[in-house]
Amino acid sequence: MTQNSDDLCAMQELSAARDLGAPGASRAGHSEDFNAGLMVLRPSEERFQELLALAPRVASHSGGIQPLLRAGFPDWSRLDHYRDNVNAHMFQHQRGSWRLERIRSIHFTGPVKPCFTEAEDSAQQPFDEPFRVWHRIRMGGGEVAQSSMDPRDLGASLLPGGAEGAWRAWFPPPPASILSLGFGLGEQELHT
């Protein structure tokens, strides 16, 4: 996410962006389907049970869940694919359509994800290059569209504690929650 997305909570279920995929990839009729990279859902035990019952009847060539979700939500509302769930490949292949100030969420497809790279790997790339944007946000740069940060001052934007400090500031573990064991506590805290 590069910008606040609170308004998505008011969208109807299921809202998602079209599955545009990587340029040159076979779409095999999927260009009118949604991509599960960003979806608006309502938590529902009933819907969950419906998906579980449907799962044995839906094939997935990749083993992924997207075919099941498409079968379970045949009627869906379109999000703007130039704003929400924008495929990072657009930066390279449709540069004229890449408007970072408009993009609310970037979808990283393919085997290489920004979390497996170092910020220095993209430091010489343009300021709006998707991996560089991801690292800037991870390092505490805040909302990209609202940012006035100079790219040369990337290191100065770090919160105390670096990226880990920024993560904990944005996503603190819930107090007295079992979730903190899986999502909030790091190795140091588990051993103290």
Side-chain angles (χ1 to χ4, degrees):
M1 301 305 290
T2 62
Q3 301 177 30
N4 183 297
S5 59
D6 288 352
D7 64 301
L8 289 176
C9 294
M11 302 290 291
Q12 69 184 41
E13 180 183 72
L14 177 107
S15 294
R18 283 181 35 219
D19 186 6
L20 300 179
S26 169
R27 301 308 315 136
H30 292 297
S31 64
E32 294 305 312
D33 289 332
F34 65 85
N35 184 283
L38 174 73
M39 304 179 304
V40 177
L41 299 166
R42 302 271 181 259
S44 163
E45 181 66 27
E46 180 181 344
R47 178 65 80 171
F48 177 67
Q49 294 302 324
E50 289 170 6
L51 289 170
L52 285 178
L54 182 60
R57 300 188 306 266
V58 177
S60 174
H61 299 291
S62 68
I65 193 170
Q66 195 154 273
L68 173 62
L69 293 170
R70 288 175 177 163
F73 295 95
D75 299 316
W76 57 283
S77 188
R78 289 183 182 201
L79 296 175
D80 180 353
H81 61 270
Y82 288 112
R83 177 167 172 76
D84 295 302
N85 206 38
V86 178
N87 193 309
H89 290 289
M90 184 185 287
F91 179 82
Q92 288 179 302
H93 301 285
Q94 297 174 344
R95 187 73 167 101
S97 299
W98 186 265
R99 301 278 184 261
L100 185 58
E101 69 278 357
R102 186 171 189 271
I103 295 172
R104 177 169 36 198
S105 64
I106 301 172
H107 185 71
F108 293 92
T109 57
V112 179
K113 308 292 187 208
C115 59
F116 301 126
T117 66
E118 299 295 330
E120 298 79 35
D121 297 343
S122 57
Q124 299 304 313
Q125 297 296 320
F127 192 60
D128 60 343
E129 190 274 334
F131 278 55
R132 190 165 182 191
V133 169
W134 186 90
H135 282 289
R136 191 166 59 248
I137 292 171
R138 181 185 65 84
M139 294 173 141
E143 290 185 8
V144 172
Q146 316 286 320
S147 177
S148 60
M149 180 174 45
D150 185 311
R152 294 167 296 200
D153 294 333
L154 184 60
S157 70
L158 294 176
L159 293 173
E164 183 180 345
W167 179 263
R168 290 181 185 284
W170 294 335
F171 306 107
S177 167
I178 190 69
L179 292 177
S180 65
L181 290 176
F183 298 104
L185 298 177
E187 287 294 317
Q188 282 183 328
E189 292 163 308
L190 286 174
H191 298 293
T192 57

